Amino acid sequence: MDTLPEDEPGSLLARALADVAEPIEDEAVTARLLDAAAEQFRQIGIKRTTMEEVAKRAGVARITVYRRFTNKDALVEQVVRREFQRYFDQFVLDIADAADAAERVEIGFASAMRAIRGNPLIGGLLTVETDSLVHSIAGDGGRTVATIARFVAGQLRREQRAGNVPAEVEVELVAELMVRTSTSFLVTPSEVVDIDDDAQLRALARLFLVPLIDPGSRPK
């Protein structure tokens, strides 16, 4: 199963051309910078990290960082989005053995919470620097949320093509609602829902998220 979010052909072509235009060694340097930034954020937090420290940890000149990332906000955004890509990969593995679309929604919701909270970087920031993480997600013009929503919508479209989700379901809207629900639970503590309890999360998804793709399952 493809783990990349679905996108328009023009965007795919633009990304492919951009990849060709960027030398492989530049990609390696960028990856090293993202690794260095992620480790620096994990150790001392986003607020206390400077671009100079990231450059030093990566073993490159400061100007090299600024050539790839115009400022620290841009660097933080890319680090966080890369961590979410790892969540996409884990999500696909977690739902592989589910019996049907409804169970995939249940497992996927619980998987999202577990994978993101268990991520060494994002989970740590959720605990000690929630405002910085929220800013990197919500303050990027909605790009991070949109990326995750496209991924979820792609999964739902596959379910539609397989006949598991009714054709009338608006998958983009449903995906948006699912992602925003998950994000809300992640960044705002709940006194009602224990987001570390998989069984409770699956029950919540069964009650409120599954009916979004299967209207007939709504409680009477």
Side-chain angles (χ1 to χ4, degrees), residues 100-111:
D100 52 30
E103 188 174 20
R104 281 188 281 277
V105 169
E106 292 178 28
I107 294 174
F109 181 62
S111 167

Side-chain angles (χ1 to χ4, degrees), residues 15 22 48 58 66 70 96 102-103 121 141 143 147 169 176 179 215:
R15 288 207 303 272
E22 184 177 22
R48 295 171 56 196
Y66 284 102
T70 54
E103 188 174 20
L121 174 63
R143 290 189 297 276
T147 297
V169 170
E176 179 95 359
V179 171

Side-chain angles (χ1 to χ4, degrees), residues 2-6 87-89 91-92 146-156 158:
D2 186 8
T3 63
L4 292 176
E6 293 193 0
Y87 146 68
F88 295 152
D89 296 339
F91 176 96
V92 171
T147 297
I148 301 169
R150 283 199 300 273
F151 169 76
V152 176
Q155 301 296 315
L156 294 177
R158 291 186 183 93

Side-chain angles (χ1 to χ4, degrees), residues 14-24 26-27:
R15 288 207 303 272
L17 291 174
D19 289 343
V20 171
E22 184 177 22
I24 293 175
D26 283 357
E27 294 179 0

Side-chain angles (χ1 to χ4, degrees), residues 36-50:
E39 183 60 21
Q40 193 73 11
F41 295 159
R42 189 185 67 80
Q43 288 192 9
I44 69 172
I46 290 175
K47 291 179 180 177
R48 295 171 56 196
T49 291
T50 66

